Amino acid sequence: MDPVDLIIFGASGDLSARKLFPALFQLDQAGLLQADLRIAAIARDDISLEVFLEGLRKRMTSYMGDNAPDDEAWAQYSQRIIYSHADFSAVENYGKLKGWLDDKRTSLFYLATPPSLFAPICEHLNSADCLTGDCRIVLEKPIGENLESSRKVNETLAKYFDERSIYRIDHYLGKETVQNLLVLRFANRFVNSQWDQSCIDHVQITVGEVVGIEDRWSYYDKVGQLRDMVQNHLMQLLCLVAMEPPNSLEAESIRDEKVKIVKALRPIDDTTVLDHVVRGQYAQGWSNENVVPGYLEEPGCKSEASDTETFIAIKAHVDNWRWAGVPFYLRTGKRLAEKVTEIIIHYKNLPHNIFGGGASIPNTLIIRLQPNEGIEMTMVSKRQSLKEKLSLQNHTLNLDFRDGNDGDRIPDAYERLFLDAINGDQSLFVGREEIEESWRWCDGLITACKSQGIDTKPYHAGSWGPAKAEILIEKDGRSWHA
Ligand code: BG6
């Protein structure tokens, strides 16, 4: 493998200090970075390398807690880094970068910048002749804000980079447990053979967050929870649950199967939206025993009439042979009662209950992605009792991923994603077609919400969303997993 240079645009931003530099640091500590890997940090601030490094270390330390770098580790890591200040939107600033790049090395350009800079950065890299040799580009979401704008971004990228050199990040795919979903499904025969409409009654995917919009009112108000979380993270989880086995772990095989699922999603239109979508917006409430403001009272609020959703629940259907008649209930929101990401597979009742005492107890498989990563399976067993001959109870088989992990730390998603981008493995990055098809489905849903006046219902911060979200599932005789 050629030696690699990482060029991080937006190096003084929040993402860089919170995720990117700590992830690279952990990889360095684990001996997983090539000894000669170089990092060019590029940002607008006109400061020296020393000042940049000092500020970076301070910020990393505050995010990394016990894992923060000590002096020795920092000295080893920081010698990889150079700093260059530049206004990315001006082509004349790219000459210095050109001088530093080396055609014999792989250049990995990481755009940790606002999306409005994606196109100018690519254009200027090209005009300044920086795109010679093996070049890859890594981008963060959002890739557009609807189908049309995402196409534009993708078209710009395609002018300068081959699809095989474009690494679109959905950080959920880098989470260890999300990758484990593939292993659970495709390395366990008993799971795999029970994974369809003949055995499964319905699927729930919940991504609950305790945080509010965290000083991002201006950004968030334009997107809302559907574009911020469903179009990407929940869609990826749904695809991994619903897709057919890929014929290999090659990026293309996995992407092809995921695209089929997005295309098979039944459109939610004017005739179905009322029964299939609930939108919510948090009002004042409690979080971690503190009173917290409602969305419209958050600092930076610019419109007290905003109807942007901070919560959404959706009943979706995948129209294919495997999933016919199996609803997928999705819900996600800010300022909910708990930070939790979990997928619940509810199996069907057995056709006939020979044990008496009412309905049989259906099995559930709970795949917990965060926190307390693991898998639980509820099994029915006999209560040990002489009085009652055959009384049944639910027992849980518990697989805790924190046990038997090398060390106690579960690696952060960005560690895996950096490693894969460096090694040229695209299987955990999102392909162009997946993104565009996902936007197509979301755009339809958004249009239907607008035309049918599906406005947001208030919910108290610290709750599980508006009461209507309970009704969405309860009217089908089911309930959200508590
Ligand atoms: C980001 C969203 O993509 O994911 C944020 O923009 C959200 O709004 C975050 O809070 C959630 O990520 P995680 O890894 O904390 O579940």
Side-chain angles (χ1 to χ4, degrees):
M1 194 171 95
D2 285 342
V4 174
D5 290 333
L6 276 172
I7 303 99
I8 302 182
F9 288 88
S12 57
D14 198 48
L15 180 73
S16 295
R18 206 188 266 264
K19 295 288 182 185
L20 309 187
F21 284 102
L24 289 167
F25 171 75
Q26 295 293 3
L27 292 176
D28 192 25
Q29 286 297 287
L32 293 170
L33 293 184
Q34 297 159 315
D36 58 354
L37 180 138
R38 306 187 294 173
I39 304 172
I42 307 189
R44 284 171 191 270
D45 312 319
D46 187 0
I47 49 175
S48 64
L49 173 65
E50 290 65 38
V51 174
F52 172 76
L53 289 176
E54 196 187 321
L56 178 64
R57 184 172 177 190
K58 246 192 226 149
R59 291 168 76 196
M60 279 173 58
T61 302
S62 74
Y63 297 130
M64 294 175 73
D66 291 348
N67 295 313
D70 60 25
D71 288 346
E72 195 185 329
W74 180 252
Q76 175 190 318
Y77 176 57
S78 61
Q79 67 178 9
R80 295 178 179 277
I81 303 175
I82 63 139
Y83 177 78
S84 175
H85 77 94
D87 171 0
F88 317 138
S89 56
V91 66
E92 56 276 15
N93 291 321
Y94 289 70
K96 206 155 63 175
L97 179 60
K98 169 71 189 160
W100 182 79
L101 294 171
D102 179 345
D103 273 2
K104 288 184 231 58
R105 303 169 65 90
T106 298
S107 303
L108 200 72
F109 298 101
Y110 196 119
L111 309 194
T113 66
S116 57
L117 288 171
F118 293 171
I121 292 178
C122 290
E123 278 153 23
H124 297 333
L125 282 173
N126 185 51
S127 317
D129 206 23
C130 296
L131 300 182
T132 52
D134 176 13
C135 295
R136 302 176 198 156
I137 188 156
V138 188
L139 304 114
E140 284 286 332
K141 79 177 214 334
I143 310 279
E145 55 208 28
N146 52 32
L147 176 59
E148 201 193 327
S149 53
S150 71
R151 274 192 181 144
K152 275 197 192 135
V153 176
N154 283 328
E155 271 154 25
T156 307
L157 294 174
K159 272 201 239 161
Y160 305 107
F161 296 89
D162 182 85
E163 183 65 20
R164 285 197 196 147
S165 309
I166 304 174
Y167 292 73
R168 298 178 192 82
I169 287 199
D170 182 312
H171 77 276
Y172 268 53
L173 292 180
K175 290 185 192 272
E176 281 287 304
T177 349
V178 176
Q179 296 161 57
N180 226 325
L181 194 53
L182 287 176
V183 180
L184 173 76
R185 283 198 57 199
F186 304 126
N188 291 290
R189 174 166 273 279
F190 79 98
V191 175
N192 183 261
S193 60
Q194 318 277 312
W195 203 262
D196 63 17
Q197 46 75 31
S198 67
C199 296
I200 294 177
D201 175 71
H202 73 280
V203 176
Q204 298 181 14
I205 303 180
T206 292
V207 181
E209 298 185 85
V210 169
V211 292
I213 48 148
E214 297 187 298
D215 295 329
R216 296 190 299 163
W217 211 91
S218 301
Y219 158 76
Y220 190 85
D221 198 55
K222 287 192 220 100
V223 288
Q225 199 71 355
L226 178 81
R227 292 186 176 96
D228 189 44
M229 297 292 288
V230 178
Q231 187 274 335
N232 34 72
H233 307 323
L234 276 88
M235 186 65 83
Q236 287 296 326
L237 297 181
L238 188 150
C239 286
L240 294 178
V241 171
M243 73 187 199
E244 294 301 312
N247 55 6
S248 76
L249 286 180
E250 293 294 314
E252 243 165 74
S253 298
I254 298 180
R255 287 176 180 186
D256 285 351
E257 295 308 334
K258 287 196 288 177
V259 169
K260 285 186 206 156
I261 295 300
V262 190
K263 286 186 173 166
L265 273 178
R266 190 181 301 166
I268 295 184
D269 59 19
D270 285 1
T271 60
T272 52
V273 68
L274 191 63
D275 279 341
H276 288 70
V277 177
V278 173
R279 300 172 66 241
Q281 190 183 75
Y282 62 84
Q284 193 192 57
W286 291 85
S287 177
N288 296 328
E289 301 182 4
N290 295 316
V291 176
V292 291
Y295 176 68
L296 299 178
E297 294 122 36
E298 288 281 11
C301 168
K302 293 205 181 69
S303 159
E304 281 171 18
S306 168
D307 189 48
T308 297
E309 81 282 344
T310 59
F311 173 95
I312 189 159
I314 301 171
K315 176 177 163 184
H317 291 273
V318 179
D319 283 334
N320 65 13
W321 194 293
R322 185 184 285 267
W323 297 112
V326 180
F328 285 71
Y329 298 95
L330 318 177
R331 66 173 169 169
T332 177
K334 306 270 184 239
R335 284 278 186 240
L336 296 188
E338 236 179 278
K339 165 119 181 127
V340 63
T341 301
E342 58 186 18
I343 298 168
I344 319 283
I345 311 293
H346 277 259
Y347 288 89
K348 287 187 168 161
N349 270 327
L350 287 162
H352 177 62
N353 176 11
I354 60 168
F355 298 101
S360 58
I361 309 169
N363 300 122
T364 39
L365 181 69
I366 303 166
I367 305 160
R368 223 174 314 99
L369 308 175
Q370 58 184 19
N372 309 334
E373 292 81 350
I375 294 175
E376 280 177 19
M377 171 115 207
T378 62
M379 304 274 294
V380 183
S381 64
K382 179 192 173 306
R383 201 184 303 278
Q384 307 230 24
S385 158
L386 278 176
K387 273 198 231 139
E388 297 166 288
K389 188 168 175 199
L390 269 177
S391 147
L392 307 189
Q393 65 180 355
N394 244 335
H395 257 150
T396 305
L397 290 179
N398 196 350
L399 184 64
D400 188 334
F401 291 147
R402 291 163 307 169
D403 296 342
N405 189 38
D406 8 318
D408 342 310
R409 211 180 56 87
I410 292 194
D412 186 76
Y414 281 89
E415 294 170 40
R416 161 58 51 206
L417 296 174
F418 260 125
L419 207 51
D420 284 3
I422 289 169
N423 291 329
D425 178 349
Q426 281 189 307
S427 55
L428 296 177
F429 294 84
V430 189
R432 172 174 183 168
E433 207 183 352
E434 287 170 73
I435 296 213
E436 292 182 4
E437 288 303 323
S438 171
W439 274 123
R440 187 194 305 283
W441 187 78
C442 291
D443 284 357
L445 189 155
I446 293 169
T447 308
C449 284
K450 280 196 187 131
S451 84
Q452 295 304 303
I454 310 291
D455 48 10
T456 57
K457 305 286 171 224
Y459 62 94
H460 285 295
S463 70
W464 275 109
K468 271 198 115 187
E470 306 294 325
I471 300 170
L472 175 92
I473 188 165
E474 281 171 10
K475 68 180 167 13
D476 296 341
R478 303 175 173 117
S479 54
W480 293 109
H481 175 77

